[in-house]
Amino acid sequence: MSESTIATARPSGRSTLLVPHSPEEPCGRDALASMARSGMRGLVVDRPVRLSTTTAAATARFLHLLVEAAGAGLRVYWDGDIGDLPQASLQHLDPPRHEGVPAWPVPREPLLTHRRGPGFLLLEDLRDPAAPRRWTVPDHPWGRVLRAYATPTAPDPADREALAVLEAQHLVLRLGDGDGGLCLALPVRFAYARS
């Protein structure tokens, strides 16, 4: 999202302003945080989005937007579907809508967060209300791997074992196959989460 879009849409007080957004347009953490500080509520994606493991780059880029927007306290309103992606791994993010109806309950706060401490990460997973989890993990290798894949990244063979464990815990999502695949860490950074 360009700075001119943010500047033009910046309100004078608290706003219910929703900013139009194209799914192909990159929007980093700093731009999203700036929008949130300006009083904006969220983004409205301007056309349907179809997520799939076969379109790894586009899907990872859009999921990254959803994770970062949640961390900045912004909603993302989008039509479409999650295709063959596991819904249980994504229920902490803003859902796709079909005819205005969300595919799953819209979370009031991020349901999967991580907070970094000296030499450790505190993870909180509330995606399954029947089995909430909160645990502390050492920075090496878990915290380092989660940070390395905070943006869509091709898997490093040295991270194979750690990624397998994090995927099994639904903390990392792998998209695509083999060398052309991408991994993305799913937890929202606690420091940026909605309050």
Side-chain angles (χ1 to χ4, degrees):
M1 182 159 299
S2 69
E3 284 299 316
S4 63
T5 301
I6 294 169
T8 319
R10 186 166 286 133
S12 57
R14 181 68 183 151
S15 172
T16 58
L17 186 62
L18 299 172
V19 178
H21 182 76
S22 167
E24 289 82 24
E25 189 176 350
C27 196
R29 176 179 299 122
D30 293 338
L32 292 166
S34 175
M35 290 171 59
R37 283 191 302 272
S38 297
M40 294 180 207
R41 244 178 18 132
L43 305 170
V44 176
V45 178
D46 60 7
R47 66 179 166 282
V49 176
R50 307 281 181 244
L51 302 180
S52 172
T53 56
T54 59
T55 56
T59 294
R61 183 175 51 248
F62 190 76
L63 290 175
H64 182 242
L65 169 70
L66 294 177
V67 170
E68 294 295 343
L74 298 172
R75 292 279 180 217
V76 179
Y77 297 89
W78 61 290
D79 289 325
D81 63 67
I82 61 168
D84 58 348
L85 301 182
Q87 181 176 326
S89 295
L90 305 176
Q91 287 188 263
H92 65 296
L93 302 172
D94 286 321
R97 295 170 187 269
H98 180 68
E99 296 182 10
V101 178
W104 56 80
V106 178
R108 291 190 59 203
E109 297 179 0
L111 300 176
L112 176 63
T113 60
H114 75 89
R115 181 183 344 197
R116 189 171 175 199
F120 69 91
L121 277 183
L122 178 63
L123 291 160
E124 186 172 58
D125 187 353
L126 307 174
R127 291 176 289 185
D128 180 358
R133 300 182 302 165
R134 185 176 189 180
W135 65 106
T136 303
V137 297
D139 199 37
H140 183 74
W142 316 113
R144 181 194 63 74
V145 171
L146 285 171
R147 283 192 311 281
Y149 296 93
T151 58
T153 305
D156 184 331
D159 296 332
R160 182 173 294 143
E161 288 180 31
L163 283 170
V165 170
L166 293 170
E167 283 180 76
Q169 296 294 320
H170 305 285
L171 298 173
V172 169
L173 186 64
R174 184 183 301 261
L175 301 162
D177 293 324
D179 296 335
L182 295 169
C183 290
L184 177 67
L186 296 173
V188 172
R189 290 184 190 198
F190 184 84
Y192 299 98
R194 296 177 184 92
S195 55

